[in-house]
Amino acid sequence: MLPVLYRLESAWQPDGGPFGRFTFSLFNLSGGPLSAFRLVYTSLTRVIEGAACENAVFLRRNANFHEFAPPEGLTLAHGEHWTFTVNGLHREAKHCTDGAKSAYLTLADGSHVPVAVSDLRLEGAVSELPPVRLPKGRLELPFALQPWPAEIDAAPGEAVPDVLYPAAESNADEVDAVSNVLALFHRLFSAGHAPFSLAPSPQGLPIVFKKKAELEGEAYRLAFSDREIRLDYGAAAGRQYALTTLAQLIDGARNHGGDFRFPASGEIADRPRYGWRGCHLDVSRQFYPTADIVRLIDILAWFKLNIFHWHLTDDEAWRLEIKAYPTLTTLGVMRGPDEPMLPQLGNGAEPVGGFYSHADVKAIVAHAAALSIEVVPEIDIPGHSTAALVALPELSDGQEAPESYHSVQGYPNNALNPAIPLTYEFLEKVFDEMVELFPSRYIHVGGDEVADGSWLASPLARKLMEQEGISGTFALQSYFLKKVKQMLTARGRKLVGWNEVAHGGGVGTEGTLLMAWENPKVGIELAREGYDVVMTPGQAYYLDMAQADAWQEPGASWAGTAAPAHTYAYEAEGEFPEELKSRMKGVQACIWSEHFLSRGYFNRLVFPRLPAIAEAAWTPKDKKDWLRFAAIAPLSPIL
């Protein structure tokens, strides 16, 4: 572990500006004097009025990157500190994670040295501790099941079978299925006692498999007795879910016998509430190694989720190897002081990169498929494209004034230009490679948060708008996305996008699936327009949202806060008119990674809300029970 040579302490005060002010103190702990330097920090609470600072010179900002210089001639001796304030913020700070996420110094010789940062302190108000996220819980039936099944009528027993094993008449596919779920269990609970054996055991119970034509593909039935367990299934997915249920039951009874039992008799008849039971992961803001992606997919399988929505590109990085454009994963992933893109969201003095090769993707897709999970890839276009434009500057209109518009995250001129023919050539080649890598029926193309005013300073875009009779940014976005939809249709794929795809005239509703994220009512409006909808509102299903208003609760809160109880209770189809409910295809958790700088923050924010959403996706509304969920949720595997 390297010693800390410099540390940046920060506090937010509610006074001193329309959105309060930051006070920063840089401490020199290096053992020698510090002079002729510049300080960089990254923060989601951005400075928009550079002149509104005291005892420092604001030099520049790019999205979350901020650079300051000290007063001329300042020298810090060992143990001394430099303090400055910043008033011109774009919003209030509300949580301890709203301050500097990383920092470094640039010295006179051009070298960069790391600066340790601390969580943001609150001054001038009470800094409350986070509340307890889960109550003690209560069980009416002592079974450790996540999500809770559609129907259960079973009596708990006192004994726990040592193992469950496939009956002698089981076919090869059924034995393989047992082995597959056994391997899943071992990966998630490496020290756990195996719930299954492929060989028979006198201390165990046989599983008698039967494929039933009347059961839907993801449905199953379990019947328990002291002689055997009968497992009826509709297709491979239903068989897997049944075996996962058995693994959960036996593990809970064996390792938490004070609370949970294994059924001695009775039945479970189970099927999912929704066909789309998704979890999204943003790997652009922070890079997750392949091993982490594989483990997350394992966790999704444990909770019977069936969609992994892989957000592969954004302003911060393009993470998917495209052999036709190698600079996407050289120039388009590197962030650092001297790299093609500046540090953002926790990056410091050391450059960072990371991408997924074709081989990585194929391995991940195959792993997911073996667990009945469909991988839906996303490249976020036309907005959120800074990384692509850095990697391929020829995709920009060279006549367009720099910083003629900014995205909501502060990135200048970050949208692919619909008036440049190379844009479509680029996307054709990208989609050609994607359909070879991803067998999913769907490709997600983003379509969100294009800044109003985008492209209006581009002479090429203005000319195209005049030729096509288009007025305004969103009509031009619609023109662009209609062409994208044609590309996907020609490749046998359906377009998925965020709800803004419907702006400016949208795209054809046939074969289009949109995700309602801005608020729940958007989903109903989209359904009225004829779109199929997945509900993923930030107010309940965005797992980067803080779980309480308390200052010391990490996360974002632009959509409010989402305590686990709120996430669990939220009913996505609650306000859908009856005639529109067929348009609602399911629900999805979204993991946006701006705040996930550590494994600890990831697990604290994602769990127990991810299993809460899994239960909303699977369990009928009248079978949900918050206190029962609270009793079982602590058994969840984590990343």
Side-chain angles (χ1 to χ4, degrees):
M1 181 182 295
L2 296 175
V4 172
L5 302 182
Y6 308 96
R7 180 174 290 278
L8 186 66
E9 298 282 355
S10 59
W12 181 79
Q13 296 89 11
D15 60 348
F19 297 114
R21 61 191 166 98
F22 281 146
T23 298
F24 292 103
S25 294
L26 174 70
F27 287 80
N28 178 13
L29 309 171
S30 68
L34 173 66
S35 62
F37 64 90
R38 289 170 284 148
L39 170 69
V40 166
Y41 69 81
T42 68
S43 173
L44 282 160
T45 307
R46 299 190 298 275
V47 174
I48 57 173
E49 295 179 34
C53 63
E54 297 178 9
N55 203 35
V57 179
F58 176 77
L59 299 177
R60 58 174 172 156
R61 177 179 68 81
N62 179 279
N64 309 289
F65 170 98
H66 300 76
E67 187 173 30
F68 290 84
E72 188 173 355
L74 177 73
T75 296
L76 295 179
H78 174 69
E80 292 184 338
H81 65 275
W82 159 51
T83 296
F84 65 99
T85 61
V86 177
N87 299 330
L89 307 177
H90 86 293
R91 62 171 173 83
E92 291 183 358
K94 295 185 177 181
H95 300 279
C96 61
T97 47
D98 282 340
K101 293 189 175 299
S102 60
Y104 66 88
L105 299 177
T106 299
L107 305 180
D109 63 1
S111 63
H112 312 286
V113 293
V115 173
V117 298
S118 302
D119 273 351
L120 185 66
R121 302 190 318 276
L122 174 63
E123 294 182 355
V126 176
S127 179
E128 296 179 354
L129 292 171
V132 174
R133 290 177 294 161
L134 284 173
K136 185 177 188 318
R138 180 195 65 232
L139 291 166
E140 293 183 5
L141 285 174
F143 300 130
L145 293 174
Q146 296 183 89
W148 196 253
E151 299 175 36
I152 180 168
D153 182 12
E158 293 301 319
V160 182
D162 188 55
V163 291
L164 308 177
Y165 58 90
E169 64 269 26
S170 303
N171 63 39
D173 286 344
E174 290 160 350
V175 175
D176 284 346
V178 175
S179 179
N180 198 30
V181 176
L182 176 58
L184 171 67
F185 177 85
H186 278 315
R187 291 193 300 270
L188 291 175
F189 306 100
S190 58
H193 185 286
F196 302 121
S197 167
L198 299 190
S201 167
Q203 287 80 41
L205 286 175
I207 305 169
V208 179
F209 291 92
K210 187 71 174 177
K211 188 171 184 179
K212 296 283 189 177
E214 70 269 20
L215 291 178
E216 295 181 357
E218 294 187 305
Y220 67 89
R221 287 194 299 257
L222 291 168
F224 299 89
S225 74
D226 59 0
R227 299 181 309 280
E228 64 184 21
I229 296 170
R230 295 201 321 272
L231 190 163
D232 298 340
Y233 62 96
R239 181 177 59 203
Q240 174 194 309
Y241 298 147
L243 290 167
T244 304
T245 291
L246 291 173
Q248 292 178 353
L249 285 168
I250 198 169
D251 182 61
R254 177 180 289 124
N255 293 318
H256 307 276
D259 296 315
F260 301 105
R261 299 286 186 271
F262 192 81
S265 61
E267 293 188 353
I268 294 174
D270 205 7
R271 59 203 167 273
R273 183 179 183 184
Y274 297 118
W276 186 290
R277 306 182 304 281
C279 179
H280 149 290
L281 179 67
D282 158 29
V283 299
S284 179
R285 275 56 179 259
Q286 311 294 344
F287 180 71
Y288 295 78
T290 296
D292 286 356
I293 303 295
V294 167
R295 181 164 177 89
L296 179 61
I297 287 171
D298 284 344
I299 292 169
L300 305 189
W302 189 250
F303 296 139
K304 301 184 175 78
L305 294 166
N306 66 344
I307 300 288
F308 175 52
H309 171 180
W310 201 0
H311 185 89
L312 287 158
T313 76
D314 215 296
D315 290 305
E316 289 79 4
W318 180 290
R319 302 292 189 191
L320 176 63
E321 179 188 24
I322 300 295
K323 292 184 182 295
Y325 297 102
T327 56
L328 288 171
T329 45
T330 54
L331 302 179
V333 298
M334 293 305 300
R335 302 198 300 255
D338 302 312
E339 298 299 330
M341 293 184 291
L342 291 170
Q344 303 284 349
L345 299 171
N347 307 141
E350 294 298 318
V352 296
F355 68 92
Y356 305 98
S357 69
H358 280 203
D360 295 331
V361 170
K362 289 175 181 177
I364 288 167
V365 168
H367 182 81
L371 295 170
S372 306
I373 291 173
E374 182 175 351
V375 178
V376 176
E378 179 185 355
I379 59 163
D380 202 348
I381 55 174
H384 289 282
S385 292
T386 297
L389 293 167
V390 167
L392 299 166
E394 60 269 31
L395 293 176
S396 300
D397 181 354
Q399 306 170 84
E400 186 176 13
E403 304 205 24
S404 59
Y405 63 90
H406 287 81
S407 73
V408 67
Q409 287 85 12
Y411 286 93
N413 295 22
N414 75 327
L416 295 179
N417 194 318
I420 296 177
L422 186 59
T423 295
Y424 303 102
E425 179 185 333
F426 163 68
L427 292 174
E428 295 267 13
K429 292 180 180 178
V430 168
F431 291 142
D432 282 343
E433 295 193 29
M434 290 182 74
V435 298
E436 291 298 317
L437 293 170
F438 297 98
S440 172
R441 302 158 288 170
Y442 302 101
I443 290 180
H444 200 300
V445 298
D448 61 314
E449 294 185 326
V450 172
D452 195 2
S454 298
W455 310 306
L456 300 187
S458 161
L460 290 175
R462 300 289 296 187
K463 181 179 178 181
L464 176 63
M465 293 167 73
E466 184 178 345
Q467 289 173 348
E468 298 292 331
I470 293 171
S471 176
T473 292
F474 300 119
L476 188 53
Q477 173 181 296
S478 173
Y479 169 90
F480 168 84
L481 289 173
K482 285 174 181 174
K483 287 185 172 292
V484 168
K485 183 174 171 64
Q486 290 172 357
M487 295 181 200
L488 296 180
T489 301
R491 290 162 174 79
R493 298 296 192 269
K494 295 181 179 181
L495 183 148
V496 191
W498 303 109
N499 54 245
E500 296 98 318
V501 167
H503 288 180
V507 301
T509 58
E510 184 68 28
T512 299
L513 179 69
L514 298 187
M515 295 185 169
W517 69 273
E518 288 183 282
N519 60 67
K521 292 182 179 178
V522 166
I524 298 172
E525 295 166 3
L526 293 172
R528 282 206 176 95
E529 293 176 32
Y531 292 105
D532 288 340
V533 179
V534 168
M535 295 295 287
T536 178
Q539 293 77 8
Y541 287 173
Y542 269 34
L543 301 186
D544 59 318
M545 291 299 111
Q547 297 173 81
D549 291 329
W551 179 267
Q552 292 185 42
E553 184 68 46
S557 56
W558 58 260
T561 58
H566 170 70
T567 296
Y568 185 84
Y570 175 71
E571 272 296 309
E573 69 175 47
E575 298 180 14
F576 266 71
E578 195 63 37
E579 69 274 13
L580 296 178
K581 286 186 177 179
S582 64
R583 291 283 180 196
M584 192 195 141
K585 300 305 179 183
V587 299
Q588 178 169 289
C590 283
I591 303 173
W592 297 101
S593 295
E594 287 93 336
H595 291 283
F596 293 163
L597 303 189
S598 70
R599 186 69 57 93
Y601 271 154
F602 185 99
N603 286 327
R604 178 171 173 174
L605 285 158
V606 170
F607 303 99
R609 292 185 295 181
L610 179 59
I613 296 168
E615 191 145 308
W618 185 278
T619 307
K621 177 183 177 182
D622 63 351
K623 300 296 174 62
K624 290 170 67 177
D625 182 327
W626 165 241
L627 289 179
R628 180 197 65 222
F629 173 83
I632 301 170
L635 278 60
S636 298
I638 59 176
L639 195 67

